[in-house]
Amino acid sequence: MSDAQARQAFDQLSGEAHASVQSLLLTDAHVVSDTVLDRLASGETGAFLSGYGTRTRLGGDANAASVHADQGGVLVGANGHVGDDWTLGIVTGWGRSAIDTPRGAADVTTYHAGLYGEVDLGNLSLKAGGAYSYNEIDAQRSVSLGSFSDKLTSDYHAGSAEVFGEASYAFQIDPRLTLSPFANLSHVTLSSDGFRERGGAASLSASDQTEDATFTTLGLRTGGTFAVQGTEVTWKAMAGWVHAFGDTTPDRSLSFRDGGGFTVVGAPIAEDAARLSLGLGVDLGKAATLGVSYRGEFAKDASSNGVRADLNIRF
């Protein structure tokens, strides 16, 4: 067996895709916090329905192949004023992800629930919340080495708990333009259950494992209004710098059926990235608004592009 054939064999046998699934789950855990922080920044209250779709790519390195994922889902919730300065809200939702790597794939169904709030201290706004996402993972991979082949499947669960906070300060430039610099912190703990693959001699097993990652964002939000043929349109934009630290290269401890154990690493999470968003909204009568927005995140060897539609019903 040549060196190249040996490397290919090790890659196929490694179960690397299981570690890369953890990379994606950590990267995408902020879908709830992004939605509710955008909502609090807009000042909207009442009930809301948000539908989102995102395409994410994590670049590979010397230890792991690149990963691609398509995600979509729906979040529903409500928030309202409590007293003069406080806003409190609740959110729940569902999502689905299709994760693909050269060394395996996984379908993930996710259920979200969270609480969030805000206190206004003049122009200073403090926001915080927490969310839990329960992930059902259906993983598949194949091994083909000469005359030997094996199809391997596994089903297991993982839970991601996120706590987040943000401080922002609003500058009213004129009645139609606001600038709000902000600082954001999010911490995610991902707890993955153990599993045992179904298949032949190449099947792997894993025990329970926990990974932690923290994300900070420094940025600027801006927004305002303009009129189109007598209809007032609300616009908003955001630009920020995201820094990640902690378990930015998730790993998974695995073992073969005969007990031989090893650790494999997944695709790395980008440690520094630019985040951009742009959205437009219009009133649908006196009690409802409809908005659409784009969000992108770009790093040296990773990217994410997503769109979201938001319907708000005022009480």
Side-chain angles (χ1 to χ4, degrees):
M1 181 181 289
S2 68
D3 290 345
Q5 289 172 326
R7 284 193 296 270
Q8 182 184 24
F10 292 145
D11 287 341
Q12 290 191 48
L13 293 169
S14 70
E16 172 195 304
H18 293 296
S20 290
V21 167
Q22 294 185 142
S23 301
L24 261 297
L25 293 179
L26 284 168
T27 299
D28 295 331
H30 56 73
V31 62
V32 175
S33 60
D34 285 349
T35 301
V36 300
L37 288 173
D38 284 350
R39 178 169 177 77
L40 290 172
S42 73
E44 292 278 10
T45 58
F48 70 91
L49 171 68
S50 295
Y52 64 89
T54 306
R55 175 162 290 182
T56 300
R57 176 185 174 275
L58 298 180
D61 58 13
N63 296 308
S66 61
V67 184
H68 295 81
D70 291 316
Q71 304 111 335
V74 175
L75 295 172
V76 295
N79 62 279
H81 295 302
V82 179
D84 294 331
D85 302 320
W86 287 84
T87 300
L88 297 178
I90 187 171
V91 61
T92 187
W94 168 91
R96 190 161 178 82
S97 303
I99 301 171
D100 186 51
T101 84
R103 295 158 193 167
D107 295 314
V108 182
T109 302
T110 304
Y111 303 92
H112 306 287
L115 299 170
Y116 59 97
E118 175 185 27
V119 59
D120 288 323
L121 305 172
N123 288 2
L124 175 65
S125 173
L126 302 177
K127 308 174 181 71
Y132 183 80
S133 299
Y134 179 77
N135 304 284
E136 297 178 343
I137 302 163
D138 178 11
Q140 318 90 37
R141 64 188 187 94
S142 298
V143 175
S144 179
L145 301 171
S147 61
F148 173 79
S149 64
D150 209 350
K151 287 191 173 294
L152 306 155
T153 62
S154 57
D155 301 295
Y156 58 99
H157 302 128
S160 53
E162 181 192 22
V163 292
F164 55 90
E166 181 179 290
S168 61
Y169 195 91
F171 295 94
Q172 191 72 47
I173 305 304
D174 64 42
R176 290 182 174 269
L177 179 63
T178 301
L179 296 177
S180 299
F182 69 90
N184 177 294
L185 176 69
S186 168
H187 180 78
V188 180
T189 297
L190 176 67
S191 300
S192 301
D193 289 347
F195 63 85
R196 184 179 297 276
E197 289 184 324
R198 297 179 296 274
S203 61
L204 298 170
S205 62
S207 57
D208 296 353
Q209 193 160 332
T210 299
E211 304 276 354
D212 293 277
T214 301
F215 303 86
T216 60
T217 306
L218 296 176
L220 177 69
R221 289 191 182 94
T222 184
T225 61
F226 62 93
V228 177
Q229 296 182 345
T231 299
E232 188 171 81
V233 179
T234 301
W235 67 272
K236 59 183 180 179
M238 183 274 291
W241 167 64
V242 183
H243 178 66
F245 54 96
D247 294 324
T248 56
T249 306
D251 59 42
R252 193 86 209 225
S253 296
L254 302 169
S255 61
F256 288 106
R257 183 178 297 178
D258 63 4
F262 60 95
T263 298
V264 64
V265 299
I269 297 169
E271 294 187 357
D272 292 285
R275 180 177 290 181
L276 305 169
S277 70
L278 178 64
L280 298 173
V282 295
D283 287 336
L284 302 177
K286 295 182 178 180
T289 58
L290 177 65
V292 293
S293 59
Y294 162 82
R295 179 182 292 267
E297 192 167 310
F298 307 96
K300 181 180 180 180
D301 199 21
S303 63
S304 177
N305 292 277
V307 294
R308 193 178 75 220
D310 302 303
L311 175 65
N312 184 71
I313 307 296
R314 304 185 189 95
F315 296 141

